[in-house]
Amino acid sequence: EATYQDWEALSEAERRDETRKMEVYAAMIDRMDQNIGRVLRKLDEMGVSEDTLILFASDNGASAEVVRLGDAGEIESMERWTSLGGDWANVANTPLRYHKNESYEGGIRTPLIARWPAALKAGDRFSREPFHFIDVMATLVDITGVDYPERFEGEAVTPLQGRSFLPVLRGKGAGSRRTLYWQWQDAKAVRQGDWKLVTLGGEWELFDLKNDPAETRDLSDRFPQRVER
């Protein structure tokens, strides 16, 4: 579902603006990288690096929205807020489908990096276990051994919703499969194991994420009972 304009068909001014958009985007990522490095060096200087758990995740989905707030200055200036736009978002999300605000993988799949040298002894590993941000709190409660409160200042606290991914960090399986749900406006999805049902407000589509993570083959006609369930 590639979306892009013909580069040669753009005017010189349009090409200059599109180039500048990605230059600024790349510079922002570089600043993130440099300053994360500063944090890691500081932890080393403090002597706590080995015992510190770092969880790093990106935001969900490249952003295709076009926000126009001020057009007075250059693209990189404070006087102009220029969005990345749909074409560059498509590039940034490849090979995943669609973008932020939609419940296809391009809108909800995000990487998570965990670093905790003292506790994660098995070395570098890669896992495709699906988790959700609701699981971060459950994981921290699991690690610290604290009791999650039922009340705070007299008010009931919403029960813990997530599931700890500490076993996965330690190289074990996640245990039983569960059902995960997403909804943002008309964008909805349900995931059970490797099966995912998704819609943008129209017909539901069914995908096998294990064999088709880019969601290119709708299997809803082949497995109508699964869709109905």
Side-chain angles (χ1 to χ4, degrees), residues 208-226:
D208 174 6
L209 296 183
K210 181 178 181 180
N211 297 302
D212 181 25
E215 297 169 306
T216 62
R217 298 183 296 277
D218 177 14
L219 303 176
S220 58
D221 288 342
R222 289 181 55 190
F223 300 98
Q225 291 180 331
R226 182 177 291 277

Side-chain angles (χ1 to χ4, degrees), residues 11 31 99 112 115 132 144 152 156 167 181 186 196 199 201 223:
S11 68
R31 291 298 87 197
H99 323 98
L112 172 69
R115 180 182 186 271
H132 193 288
T144 58
F152 180 73
Y181 303 89
D186 290 333
K196 180 182 173 188
T199 181
F223 300 98

Side-chain angles (χ1 to χ4, degrees), residues 1 97-98 104 188-190 195-200 202-208 215-221 227:
E1 304 237 352
R97 187 174 179 185
Y98 290 123
Y104 290 87
K188 307 170 189 175
V190 182
W195 290 99
K196 180 182 173 188
L197 203 62
V198 60
T199 181
L200 285 179
E203 295 295 321
W204 288 90
E205 295 178 277
L206 178 70
F207 299 101
D208 174 6
E215 297 169 306
T216 62
R217 298 183 296 277
D218 177 14
L219 303 176
S220 58
D221 288 342
V227 173

Side-chain angles (χ1 to χ4, degrees), residues 137-149 160:
M137 174 62 79
T139 303
L140 298 180
V141 168
D142 190 11
I143 289 170
T144 58
V146 301
D147 294 324
Y148 189 78
L160 196 61

Side-chain angles (χ1 to χ4, degrees), residues 127-178:
S127 173
R128 293 190 182 277
E129 291 278 0
F131 284 93
H132 193 288
F133 272 99
I134 59 173
D135 299 325
V136 172
M137 174 62 79
T139 303
L140 298 180
V141 168
D142 190 11
I143 289 170
T144 58
V146 301
D147 294 324
Y148 189 78
E150 295 182 0
R151 306 189 69 81
F152 180 73
E153 294 185 350
E155 299 291 332
V157 175
T158 301
L160 196 61
Q161 301 293 305
R163 184 177 71 185
S164 173
F165 52 77
L166 180 59
V168 174
L169 294 182
R170 289 177 166 161
K172 301 176 183 177
S176 61
R177 296 290 177 95
R178 60 177 169 170

Side-chain angles (χ1 to χ4, degrees), residues 100-136:
K100 184 187 298 297
N101 291 335
E102 287 138 6
S103 292
Y104 290 87
E105 292 298 276
I108 62 174
R109 179 180 290 211
T110 181
L112 172 69
I113 300 171
R115 180 182 186 271
W116 191 11
L120 308 181
K121 299 290 189 180
D124 295 340
R125 297 187 312 281
F126 186 84
S127 173
R128 293 190 182 277
E129 291 278 0
F131 284 93
H132 193 288
F133 272 99
I134 59 173
D135 299 325
V136 172

